Amino acid sequence: MSRTSRERIIVEALRLFGEQGFARTSVAQIEQAAGLSGGSGALYRHFRSKDALLVEAVRTRLTERAEWETFLDPDFSFVALFDAATPGGTVVDRLLALCRVGLERLNHDRDVTRILLRDNSIDPGVLEVFQREEYGVVMSVVTRALAQLAGPGGGEQDWAPTAAVLVGALAHFWLIRDIFDGDHPASVDEDRYLRATAELVAARLERAGHRGEEAS
């Protein structure tokens, strides 16, 4: 299905903002990339300003939930998902599956992440949108997944700090690879990095399991 002019503007603006930076991207460049006459002011028929376009473009990208929509269901079983993905797998295998889902989400948010990390001239409203529509959503998903993987009694413990560590580790790996054009400066590939991360979190889950057994 062909995109409307407004949709093309959003897609191309986000790409250009991510590649060039917000300040270095002109309205005329966005119009031209969207198939409109550059410098014609056609963008302003859809958005009152470049700042307003940025906020809407970020909001649009982040609310494209795809598989995350399923994860937002409070009754969703992460254990069942990971068992299906890795039959007979260990806790580390399950956490690896969770890490890969997170990395895929970061790839989906690539341009937004680049804008937030590389451009200090953006509207503060963009950060509010990111915190509400993405970071808070991801944190809730990962926190619930960890509580389920911890087993009986896992939901009674505070998993938010561990979730923040896991999300931060994935974000750091994605960011530093992006900075170095896809290669990690320590020559650590994706599989090794994700496994190391999963093993560290698995140790925390194992401790939680022992505590649960002692409490019972």
Side-chain angles (χ1 to χ4, degrees):
M1 185 174 67
S2 61
R3 293 188 173 118
T4 64
S5 295
R6 187 177 190 278
E7 290 169 338
R8 291 199 307 274
I9 289 171
I10 287 176
V11 169
E12 295 302 328
L14 201 56
R15 178 182 65 80
L16 289 170
F17 292 154
E19 291 176 356
Q20 302 178 170
F22 177 74
R24 291 196 296 271
T25 300
S26 69
V27 169
Q29 285 178 315
I30 297 169
E31 290 171 337
Q32 188 170 10
L36 306 170
S37 297
S40 66
L43 181 148
Y44 297 110
R45 289 200 285 271
H46 302 277
F47 304 94
R48 69 178 184 276
S49 65
K50 193 171 79 164
D51 284 316
L53 167 58
L54 173 61
V55 173
E56 179 60 19
V58 169
R59 188 200 65 77
T60 299
R61 176 61 56 83
L62 296 183
T63 53
E64 293 172 356
R65 302 289 187 211
E67 75 278 5
W68 280 94
E69 199 68 51
T70 303
F71 302 157
L72 297 182
D73 183 345
D75 297 323
F76 180 79
S77 173
F78 292 94
V79 172
L81 172 68
F82 299 143
D83 281 348
T86 57
T90 64
V91 172
V92 171
D93 293 326
R94 292 174 172 181
L95 286 166
L96 272 171
L98 180 62
C99 288
R100 294 193 188 286
V101 170
L103 212 54
E104 287 173 10
R105 185 64 186 177
L106 283 165
N107 287 331
H108 173 271
D109 296 342
R110 179 194 61 190
D111 293 323
V112 174
T113 305
R114 286 175 170 174
I115 293 165
L116 293 176
L117 271 270
R118 298 180 181 179
D119 202 324
N120 60 6
S121 63
I122 59 173
D123 189 310
V126 175
L127 290 176
E128 294 176 9
V129 170
F130 178 79
Q131 185 173 4
R132 181 181 67 250
E133 301 291 353
E134 186 65 12
Y135 189 76
V137 172
V138 170
M139 276 292 294
S140 69
V141 167
V142 175
T143 301
R144 283 192 294 110
L146 292 176
Q148 290 184 24
L149 290 174
E156 299 172 3
Q157 300 186 43
D158 182 11
W159 290 105
T162 307
V165 170
L166 178 54
V167 171
L170 294 178
H172 173 78
F173 180 70
W174 187 94
L175 287 169
I176 201 163
R177 280 202 315 181
D178 190 57
I179 290 170
F180 284 88
D181 293 325
D183 296 319
H184 196 286
S187 299
V188 178
D189 62 31
E190 180 177 309
D191 287 339
R192 291 167 62 206
Y193 185 94
L194 294 186
R195 180 163 291 279
T197 303
E199 288 172 348
L200 289 171
V201 177
R204 167 77 174 89
L205 288 170
E206 185 178 357
R207 268 200 316 276
H210 288 324
R211 288 174 186 167
E213 291 174 2
E214 292 170 0
S216 60

